[in-house]
Amino acid sequence: MKKYLLILTTLVCLQTYAQYQPNWQSLDQRQTPAWFEDAKFGIFIHWGIYSVPAWATNSNADGFGSGYSEWYWQRLFAPNLKIHKEFVAFHEKNYGKSSYQDFVQGFKAELFQPDDWAKIFEQAGAKYVVLTSKHHEGFTLWPSAQSWNWNAVDVGPHRDLAGDLSKAVKAKNLHMGYYYSLYEWFNPNYKSDVNSYVDQHMIPQMKDLVTKYEPDILWTDGEWDHPAKTWKSEEFLSWLYNESPVKNSVVVNDRWGNDTKSKHGSFYTSEYGHGGTDNSLTNGFARPWEECRGIGESFGYNRNENLDVYQTGEQLVHQLVDIVARGGNFLLNIGPTADGRIPVIMQQRLREIGNWMKVNGNAIYGTRKWDKAPAYTKESKLHFTQKGKSIYAIASKWQETITVENVEKPAKIKLLGFDGDIKFSYKNKVLTIMAPQVNPNTIPCQYAWTYELTDALK
């Protein structure tokens, strides 16, 4: 009997030891699931009531996303700067005294075809999708009991948008995730009693989202009002890692309190170039990291943006290459319209990226940054990734010769997508690659070209 109790006690102790405790010291021991670092490219989706007015200024003069159309409601009540007064003037001119809540009548999503969306994401070469399940406005895209009559099933589309997209995305073997705002601008419970809001609204809502749809990513935001202790983030993450249906596969970002950015989470986040072009920042990350941005200046659809505001396909491919070469992931945002369409220009940009990825995907998926790569700057035209013993040299400008230092003599060199031999010379650990003669019919792709150096590492 004593032997049985000893074994039982040992098993209980081992089980307890294996669990993640509700403190950062324990939670930070959890390894980031490998699928996330392997994926490299994801699609962000900002879609909600703000997609009805779909308007913002085209200036970031206040330094805090004044060009973000998803902040429309908040801007109507914070006209402290001229840039915000323009939101009020636009609203009064076009909608009179209508309240923001009235916009729900225009959020019908009648043209939303989740299978079509998933196909577009797959063709873009994305490996994961992150949908705004709830932005700071508090409106949820699933039938949340905590957001009664302020969700996409009770009002507006009368449809489980989050669930329908999740099914379609997973059917394409892509990873599905959700953005979730911890705070809500005008929730009276949040404004009067944050502890009650966290206990009775936020945590039950997040658990419902995770349990119901089993996402592989939980991308939180709106954390800046309070530290993680107030949000009870450690307690929630302990549940997520120990008990949730996605405890082994889920990844989370670093926005769990105003004291957690670049400190805690499965991966760290940067936004609109703050990571992708700052070598000192990305080299300092102790975790995988991800850069997010919109194709234009806004995350939500902004009807006020014109062609000049949008990134070209070439610019987006170059950003993808730069971010991956630094060891990061690229989360590129689209802003669908209120009726459920992905704007054609956004579809075109995604298709251009996808066409490039069809040729060069081996240099992106499953790779890691090459530790011996030269320091990158905004002017860098040559980037490197590595996978196993192979190095990938990605040139964002066609060059007659490419020089790579600190490598072994490759067993083979191949220009991805090109059917022909590549000439090279090698001396004193310096490799010189001679570009092949190509014409418009034989050049393998646009925007950037990849040389695969087989067995160039010991």
Side-chain angles (χ1 to χ4, degrees), residues 35 39 118-119 121-122 126-129 165-176 216:
W35 76 259
K119 183 178 180 181
F121 303 152
E122 180 187 40
K127 296 299 182 183
Y128 62 101
V129 176
L165 184 60
S166 180
K167 292 176 184 177
V169 166
K170 290 181 178 181
K172 292 292 187 181
N173 294 317
L174 306 181
H175 292 274
M176 183 67 197
D216 285 330

Side-chain angles (χ1 to χ4, degrees), residues 394-408:
I394 310 173
S396 57
K397 180 181 180 181
W398 185 266
Q399 303 174 44
E400 295 302 319
T401 60
I402 290 175
T403 301
V404 185
E405 300 181 356
N406 299 315
V407 293
E408 301 298 315

